[in-house]
Amino acid sequence: MDPIRSRPRVVTSNPSTSLQPQAEARPTAAPARANAVGHTQLSSFETKLVAPAQAQAAQPTPGAWRGGPDTEVGKAVKAIWDRMQTMPGADVTIKGDTPASLLGRAILDGKKVTNEQIIAMSKVTLDQLATDPKDREKVLKKVPNARELPVHKFTVAMLSAATGIDPQKLSEACPDLGLTGAPGTPLLFAADGAGLQRSTALHDFTDYLRGAGIKGLNKAVWGVEGRILSAIVSAVGGGRY
């Protein structure tokens, strides 16, 4: 906003000051110049503040390179990214990543992830992902607060954004999301380390979708397709992300 400049004073002449107008007119030039300099400085300061925001706005949406807004994959990418922006749990950070940054980098921008796989994600249903009711009981018996863990919320946010499934329903149906290991095995726990939490979240994302019928997603991210081998690669810190 331009600063409001002072209006110039009107000097009225009278018999006792008839010789002073020119002398008084000179000092007003300095404030005018000062105002002009101040206006210039303010504008440059505002420019410095606005520039980063403009640069940030210019950053492309992850996966936008896959196809234009009128293509099937372009629409799928936009829908996933739009859902991610308002997803509960989107503010959880694990090892420097939010659900949005990990989803964007590993999946939407993943060079090995195909357009067909991106499109297929939005067609997956809750029934295809839901954990067996008996396994849910085992999960909650072993980790009663499973649904309250940040890594669970992180994983649900990614998977819900990708599929369009309601995050609350997904959390209810899959309390084991974000837990390391598998129900019905001795290996099922909430990891303490941030690195293992993040890799577990991403592996649950790819492996649950693989189980829902999206073949090749484990291999695209981990280099191997099988559930156990890809989980091992995930646990030791491997992967293509």
Side-chain angles (χ1 to χ4, degrees), residues 25-42:
R26 291 194 196 97
T28 62
R33 285 195 300 272
N35 286 341
V37 172
H39 175 65
T40 301
Q41 291 174 341
L42 180 61

Side-chain angles (χ1 to χ4, degrees), residues 150-171:
V151 66
H152 173 77
K153 297 176 181 178
F154 186 105
T155 311
V156 168
M158 289 179 61
L159 200 51
S160 183
T163 62
I165 297 170
D166 179 85
Q168 182 62 37
K169 292 180 179 179
L170 184 59
S171 178

Side-chain angles (χ1 to χ4, degrees), residues 16 32-33 42 56 60 74 80 87 107 109 117 119 151 157 163 186 191 214:
S16 61
R33 285 195 300 272
L42 180 61
Q56 185 176 5
I80 290 171
M87 191 61 59
I107 304 300
D109 273 341
Q117 288 169 334
I119 294 169
V151 66
T163 62
I214 303 180

